[in-house]
Amino acid sequence: MASLFLRVPTRNFYVSASSNDAPPGVPQQGGPVILEIPLDKIRRPLLRTRSNDPQKVKELMDSIAQIGLQVPIDVLEVEGVYYGFSGCHRFEAHQRLGLPTIRCKIRRGTKETLRFFSLSLSLSLSLSLSLSPCITSVELLRAICM
């Protein structure tokens, strides 16, 4: 379980999230689950904020075609809807290969978690942090949903 405090001028946000919807203070059992999810069931909120490196996508396509996906993408599941914030190049490689599903590490969250996560990404992108959106999103997702 992670508890984060974000101070933004004139606003404070406090988020407590669990990967298994356990209430705060209750020990968690398990953690992220790895499943194959259809590509068309994963919403990609960062899709319009960045472009992928075509060479990296091509290299991943070659690798996935030969040995399969080695590292699942991180996905946040909120009320049965999947949100993908990381694995941008791996996701595009699967699309271009015509694969119907992708292996995902699924962390469960609430609408509050999703709002906080989206706000955090928007702030980090607007502040022009040197981290790429994918790296930032993975770090935030792990911090919020551990």
Side-chain angles (χ1 to χ4, degrees):
M1 169 135 35
S3 295
L4 300 170
F5 183 75
L6 174 65
R7 186 177 300 264
V8 181
T10 72
R11 293 196 184 250
N12 292 327
F13 297 91
Y14 180 79
V15 176
S16 180
S18 165
S19 64
N20 63 0
D21 287 340
V26 175
Q28 293 187 43
Q29 297 176 2
V33 176
I34 297 180
L35 294 174
E36 289 279 332
I37 303 292
L39 293 175
D40 62 355
K41 299 294 183 197
I42 301 171
R43 295 186 183 178
R44 306 286 300 175
L46 293 179
L47 191 59
R48 297 176 194 181
T49 62
R50 67 182 313 270
S51 60
N52 291 331
D53 176 352
Q55 183 60 36
K56 186 172 180 180
V57 172
K58 173 72 171 103
E59 290 169 4
L60 281 166
M61 289 173 64
D62 294 342
S63 173
I64 291 167
Q66 289 179 12
I67 62 173
L69 181 65
Q70 299 301 297
V71 179
I73 65 171
D74 288 298
V75 172
L76 179 64
E77 184 264 322
V78 178
E79 297 181 0
V81 179
Y82 299 102
Y83 297 89
F85 295 95
S86 72
C88 309
H89 292 88
R90 289 170 281 166
F91 189 87
E92 184 177 335
H94 271 68
Q95 283 180 317
R96 294 180 64 193
L97 286 168
L99 299 173
T101 63
I102 188 167
R103 192 166 49 251
C104 302
K105 183 186 291 185
I106 303 167
R107 299 173 191 274
R108 299 181 77 193
T110 63
K111 286 184 179 180
E112 183 181 48
T113 305
L114 181 61
R115 279 192 293 273
F116 176 77
F117 187 70
S118 297
L119 174 65
S120 299
L121 283 176
S122 296
L123 285 172
S124 67
L125 293 174
S126 67
L127 293 173
S128 300
L129 294 179
S130 60
L131 297 174
S132 77
C134 281
I135 293 171
T136 303
S137 66
V138 171
E139 290 172 351
L140 284 170
L141 186 59
R142 287 183 180 143
I144 291 170
C145 298
M146 294 292 288

